[in-house]
Amino acid sequence: MRYLFLHRPLLHRFDQESFQVRLREHLRRRGIAYLLLLLGAALFQAHFGLGLNASPSLPYRLFLIHKGELPQRGQYVAFRWPGGGPYRSGVTFVKLVAGVAGDTVTRANRDYFVNGVHVGQAKSVSRQGVPLGLGPTGVLPAGHYYVRAPHPESLDSRYRLTGWVSQTQIIGRAYALF
């Protein structure tokens, strides 16, 4: 039995010179678009990032982070976890800002309040059964934020592990995408 493909001539041979001519023409026509696309991507990365919320603590999963923009009360903030507990140092967290410098954080039993407004109740142990230390109370100093999430399991400023978030930990303001 003979194989038919052995008797067929090569349909096309690679011609390096014509390829280079076609490539130069392609880059001449579209090179500026490619350059602008690369420049745009670099500018985006310098000023923005994406944050993924892997826990059910917030109603949104994907966030656009505007690097360097400081949040105000009621806005989302992205910050670096200082380390400890179940997370390694440097993990990105996204929470809501419930308190800013000058606000008063109080606690009655395990209920937390910012300027008299209830912001959550602290649990005594984690889901893994590890005891949870209570977060700080008092007047928030300059450059510090009280952060929270609406979910009762959220690891936020109610707990010593998170505490008040320092401005030095903040990546930027976060915007919920979906």
Side-chain angles (χ1 to χ4, degrees):
M1 178 184 262
R2 292 190 149 167
Y3 295 101
L4 294 176
F5 70 88
L6 293 177
H7 296 289
R8 291 182 183 170
L10 289 174
L11 296 175
H12 181 268
R13 285 188 67 122
F14 179 73
D15 181 6
Q16 187 173 0
E17 187 176 321
S18 66
F19 172 76
Q20 289 175 348
V21 168
R22 288 192 320 269
L23 180 62
R24 279 193 296 270
E25 181 63 21
H26 177 81
L27 290 176
R28 185 184 68 75
R29 289 183 182 167
R30 295 177 180 88
I32 290 177
Y34 293 142
L35 184 61
L36 289 174
L37 183 64
L38 286 173
L39 181 62
L43 284 172
F44 179 85
Q45 186 176 5
H47 298 283
F48 295 94
L50 294 175
L52 180 66
N53 179 27
S55 77
S57 66
L58 294 171
Y60 302 101
R61 294 288 181 244
L62 187 63
F63 292 85
L64 176 68
I65 302 168
H66 185 190
K67 296 177 183 177
E69 182 182 353
L70 294 177
Q72 296 177 10
R73 184 186 344 271
Q75 296 176 339
Y76 289 105
V77 61
F79 63 95
R80 296 276 179 224
W81 181 253
Y87 302 100
R88 63 177 167 69
S89 178
V91 171
T92 300
F93 268 51
V94 176
K95 302 288 181 193
L96 283 163
V97 173
V100 296
D103 288 349
T104 302
V105 178
T106 56
R107 181 181 70 233
N109 296 319
R110 298 190 83 79
D111 288 304
Y112 275 82
F113 302 85
V114 174
N115 296 334
V117 176
H118 187 260
V119 291
Q121 184 178 46
K123 300 181 341 169
S124 57
V125 294
S126 71
R127 286 184 287 186
Q128 294 77 25
V130 177
L132 293 168
L134 296 173
T137 59
V139 177
L140 279 160
H144 287 80
Y145 298 84
Y146 184 99
V147 297
R148 67 173 295 272
H151 196 281
E153 299 287 331
S154 177
L155 186 55
D156 54 28
S157 291
R158 294 174 285 180
Y159 304 103
R160 186 180 310 133
L161 273 173
T162 307
W164 295 338
V165 174
S166 169
Q167 191 170 324
T168 60
Q169 294 172 256
I170 291 180
I171 301 167
R173 180 175 173 199
Y175 296 85
L177 297 177
F178 60 88

